[in-house]
Structure formats: structure tokens, C-alpha cells
Amino acid sequence: MKVTVIGAGYVGLTVGACLADLGHTVVCAEKDRARLARLREGTVPFYEPQLPEIVRRGLGGGRLTFSGVGEDAADQSQVIFIAVGTPPSADGQPDVSAVDEAVRVIAPHLDDGQVLVLKSTVPVGTTDRIEAVLRHDTGAHRAVACNPEFLREGSAVADFFHPSRVIVGTHSRAAAEVLTALHQPLECPILVTAPRTAEMIKYASNAFLATKVSFINEIAAICEQVEADAATVAAGMGSDPRIGPHFLRAGIGFGGSCLPKDVRALAALAREHRVTPSLLEAVLRVNDAQRQQFMEKVEAALGGIAGKTLAVLGLAFKGGTSDVRESPALDIAGRLLAGGAVVRAFDPAAEEGAAETLPALICCPDAYEAAEGADAILILTDWPDFESLDWKRLRKRVRTPVVLDGRGLRVAASAIDEGFAYIGQGPPKAR
Ligand code: UGA
């Protein structure tokens, strides 16, 4: 099939490159000229495991090309995905102006054999609205569908090839058939629904994941008071298949460009329709409180942070990505700087984005440099590499052997063995 993807960000580029890898002919249209030039050279402008190889393979095989928006012959594509950003606006709802702009550019070229697909996360009712706009502007019926994305940053390629499900929201039988055929090789359940239902599935999924994280964070806070071990409580709960083991890692809370934004958007949608989003608001409140509670732990452990040197390990919103959007780690690093601490930070991929936001950070080439002269080590992102740190080496670099683990990594035993005081979830573990 010939496919056009408008927007070569995390979602658009991953989907486009992976579809090309499946054998389709894909054009990714990107309006940012600098990003476009880098993509044409085969450079992926963000950190995403496996994606650079897949992009280069697509480019080399001629199945993947890049163009400016409106420059491609999208009129020859059977499927046109819109995967542009929908950042939060002031009222909590996503700003869909980039989606509307993409529709405006594409509309004059659409014919009735083509399917226009919204990949971007859009407010409920957007797919129906766009279908109506196209009918009004072109005087003809156009096949429009919502196909929400469930890729996680850091494992987006693996998630594309092994999806748990594909959701297709459309009123058009032709669109349902084309999108079912496109996803058939992925061998997963395909659920065809009305567009509004598909849009809600996306919001409800992210809101539920966020709810699990806030739930376990509240449980962890109770565990701390009653001297129970939160990680073991999560493991014990998670082995019940009705609960499941995922998204039960307590820590400094969820961040990123999706979970916080989508919970806020769903709460705003609820209020707009006079439904009180009590649970969603509590999920956000608990999440906000995590950062403050972590700061209090740091203050208590060090007797204040002004003038202290702190080694911050991790700045990205989670391990496996260079993304610092709504990163709890970056937020905490900012609070530490504001409190008068010297922050020596290391992140395997997110240094550039973090330094733009917080120029006062001292960015270090590795964890050991970051630990030089530190009064404490703070683990703020769950990079797997942090689980194999050499604590003997770290012990030689720090001024005071204290580690505060904001991500519940498996480091307590090795840190304690080397003489560190370990403060994680639950009561402080003694040396
Ligand atoms: C999330 C969803 O997981 C994807 O399915 C969805 O496609 C994507 O949003 C999106 O809407 O585009 P992502 O933003 O990549 O993916 O991040 P997650 O893996 O969901 O993690 C979100 C946050 O929760 C991170 O800050 C992570 O550290 C935190 N988290 C996650 C925890 O604190 N504890 C956990 O147990 C799990």
C-alpha cells in the first residue's frame, strides 16, 4: 500500500518507518525544515531504540521517503495518517490547530478512494467534526478514521510490531477494511468502533495507567508509615491477574507528554459535560504530591539543601528516552537548584533537552563524575543502566554516602553493602 504520514515526531516517524519495514511505500511529511533535512540523511532527531536502523533500512530500500508538508503526492496514497502534535492548551484540552492545519492542506487532494486517519490524540468528537468539515468543504463523503496510538517511548518499535490491540474508530466500511488489512500482519485483535468510542479508549487507557501509578504511590506512602515494603506489596498485588503487575512501581510519579496531559484533558471533558471527575483529579493531586514528598525526604536526610552538592541520576521522564517533557526528574532538579543546591546531573540521553530548560545544571559524562563530592545521590529516572552501577566506585567519589532512590530500582543491597544509607520507598534502610 502507499501510505503518507503527516508529522515525523515520535509517533509519526515510528509508524511510518515501521510500516515501510512491513513492505509498504511510505512518505513521511514534516514541516520543520531542519528536522526534515536530518531525516533525509537518516538521522533520527530523538533517542528511540531500534528506530535509526529501521529508518535507514527504509531509506536504503527506497520504501521510506521524507517530504515537506503538501509537497508529497499524497493524492496517490491509499491511507493518509495525521500524526502531528496536540499539546495541552490553557483550558486543559489539547490544542488541535496542527491537526486542523494538516486537514486543510490535505483536503483539496483527497478523493473517495482514500482514507484519512487521525493518529494524534484528539478530543472526543474530533474525527466526526473533521468528517463533517470535509463533507461541507468538498461536497462529498470522505472516509475518515481515528486510529489511536499506544506506543510507549523507549519501546515504540517493539510496541509497533507487537501491539496488544489495534483500535479503528470509523463510520466508513471502506476505512475499516483498509485499516484492518494494513494491520493484519501484526496478528493482534483489531477492534472497529465508532470514532468517539475509539477516541475515548485512548483517553481511558492512559488515565487508567496513570491511576495505577497514583494508586501505588498512595499505597507506598501508607507502607512507609507502617513499615511495610511497597515493592513487595506491589508484587504481591500484581500477581493477581485481575490486577496485573504493570504500572505498579512507586516513585516520584508519572510524567511525559501523554499521561499528565491526557488525564487533564479527560477531567476537563468530564467537567464540560457536568460529570465530576473526582478520581481523575485525585490521580493528578497524588501525582503532584510525589515530587514535594521526595523533596521533603531529601531535606530531611541532609538537614536542608542550600549549599549542598547533589548528584542527580536521570533527567528524562522515564528510562529509555531523551524526552524531558513534564519530567518529574527535571522538575525536582529545578527545585533543588531553586533551593540553592549545586546539581551535578547525568542522564544517558536527555542531557541536551534538560540543559536547555535548566542551564544551571552541571551535566556530567557519567554517574561517577556526577557523584564527585556529592552530599547525596538522587536516582530520578528508571534507566536500566542505573541498576548495574558500581557502588564501590561511587563510594570513593561522594562526600557523604547517602542515596535517595525516587524510582524503586534494585540498587538497595549493593549500595548498602558499600556503606551507603539507602532511602527509597518505605522506611529508610540502615547501613
Ligand atoms: C504512554 C502510554 O503508556 C502509551 O501506551 C501511549 O501510547 C503513550 O503514553 C501516548 O499516549 O502516546 P509514555 O508516555 O511513553 O506512554 O510513558 P509510560 O511508559 O506510560 O510512562 C509514563 C510515566 O509513568 C513515566 O514517567 C514513568 O516513569 C511513570 N511510571 C510508569 C511510573 O511511575 N510507575 C510505573 O509503574 C510505570
Side-chain angles (χ1 to χ4, degrees):
M1 247 182 244
K2 180 159 190 272
V3 176
T4 293
V5 182
I6 302 177
Y10 281 100
V11 170
L13 185 59
T14 305
V15 169
C18 290
L19 283 172
D21 218 49
L22 282 178
H24 300 289
T25 304
V26 180
V27 179
C28 277
E30 170 58 47
K31 72 169 189 204
D32 180 327
R33 305 306 298 187
R35 177 176 279 234
L36 179 60
R38 293 181 72 189
L39 288 168
R40 281 178 163 151
E41 288 163 6
T43 307
V44 174
F46 47 82
Y47 178 86
E48 186 60 50
Q50 297 181 51
L51 192 55
E53 295 89 296
I54 292 197
V55 167
R56 282 196 285 274
R57 196 151 63 222
L59 280 171
R63 291 183 311 280
L64 178 66
T65 49
F66 294 98
S67 77
V69 176
E71 291 168 11
D72 160 51
D75 44 326
Q76 289 161 24
S77 286
Q78 204 169 343
V79 183
I80 299 155
F81 286 102
I82 296 182
V84 296
T86 51
S89 58
D91 66 355
Q93 287 285 15
D95 172 0
V96 289
S97 53
V99 173
D100 289 337
E101 172 63 12
V103 172
R104 198 188 57 71
V105 171
I106 216 79
H109 309 284
L110 273 181
D111 68 37
D112 56 6
Q114 294 177 301
V115 182
L116 183 65
V117 187
L118 299 187
K119 266 276 172 218
S120 308
T121 300
V122 290
V124 178
T126 304
T127 311
D128 283 345
R129 177 174 66 74
I130 285 171
E131 195 181 326
V133 166
L134 289 173
R135 200 178 314 120
H136 176 268
D137 290 357
T138 64
H141 180 78
R142 297 285 175 247
V144 181
C146 162
N147 173 220
E149 195 45 76
F150 300 103
L151 305 175
R152 290 162 300 173
E153 289 182 25
S155 56
V157 171
D159 289 347
F160 178 89
F161 287 112
H162 305 284
S164 49
R165 78 295 205 191
V166 165
I167 306 292
V168 175
T170 186
H171 299 300
S172 154
R173 185 190 296 250
E177 281 170 5
V178 168
L179 288 172
T180 301
L182 192 70
H183 291 100
Q184 209 77 61
L186 302 175
E187 294 177 348
C188 69
I190 299 176
L191 181 62
V192 179
T193 73
R196 285 164 193 261
T197 306
E199 289 159 350
M200 260 316 271
I201 288 171
K202 170 69 189 190
Y203 280 113
S205 299
N206 274 356
F208 188 72
L209 293 173
T211 303
K212 282 188 93 173
V213 175
S214 279
F215 178 85
I216 200 63
N217 278 331
E218 191 159 299
I219 293 293
I222 303 171
C223 284
E224 210 155 293
Q225 298 308 316
V226 299
E227 302 197 7
D229 180 49
T232 312
V233 170
M237 286 170 60
S239 29
D240 182 334
R242 294 171 303 170
I243 297 171
H246 306 292
F247 277 69
L248 288 180
R249 218 180 40 256
I252 54 175
F254 59 80
S257 65
C258 304
L259 260 53
K261 176 188 88 158
D262 290 355
V263 180
R264 287 197 295 266
L266 193 54
L269 180 74
R271 282 189 291 268
E272 194 184 315
H273 292 274
R274 297 200 178 79
V275 175
T276 307
S278 318
L279 182 60
L280 299 174
E281 283 170 353
V283 166
L284 292 168
R285 262 199 317 278
V286 170
N287 197 51
D288 286 345
Q290 296 316 303
R291 302 165 188 201
Q292 186 51 33
Q293 281 162 15
F294 186 80
M295 285 296 295
E296 285 163 14
K297 278 187 186 176
V298 179
E299 300 255 5
L302 304 180
I305 56 170
K308 298 279 165 43
T309 297
L310 298 170
V312 160
L313 303 189
L315 296 161
F317 82 94
K318 67 171 184 178
T321 179
S322 52
D323 198 342
V324 293
R325 286 177 288 177
E326 296 213 30
S327 167
L330 194 65
D331 182 52
I332 288 173
R335 292 178 194 218
L336 296 168
L337 288 169
V342 173
V343 179
R344 298 176 61 82
F346 167 65
D347 187 288
E351 178 188 319
E352 201 179 309
E356 267 172 37
T357 315
L358 296 177
L361 279 180
I362 301 172
C363 290
C364 302
D366 60 37
Y368 307 97
E369 279 292 316
E372 187 64 46
D375 293 292
I377 294 175
L378 276 43
I379 301 177
L380 300 185
T381 305
D382 54 346
W383 278 98
D385 310 11
F386 295 163
E387 291 196 321
S388 48
L389 288 169
D390 181 342
W391 288 91
K392 194 187 279 295
R393 238 176 112 191
L394 286 169
R395 177 70 186 87
K396 290 188 186 131
R397 306 294 287 260
V398 294
R399 184 181 308 151
T400 327
V402 175
V403 54
L404 289 109
D405 180 2
R407 288 298 186 180
L409 300 188
R410 283 185 295 266
V411 298
S414 0
I416 291 166
D417 279 355
E418 295 305 330
F420 278 84
Y422 175 89
I423 302 165
Q425 311 302 318
K429 292 189 170 71
R431 257 188 262 175

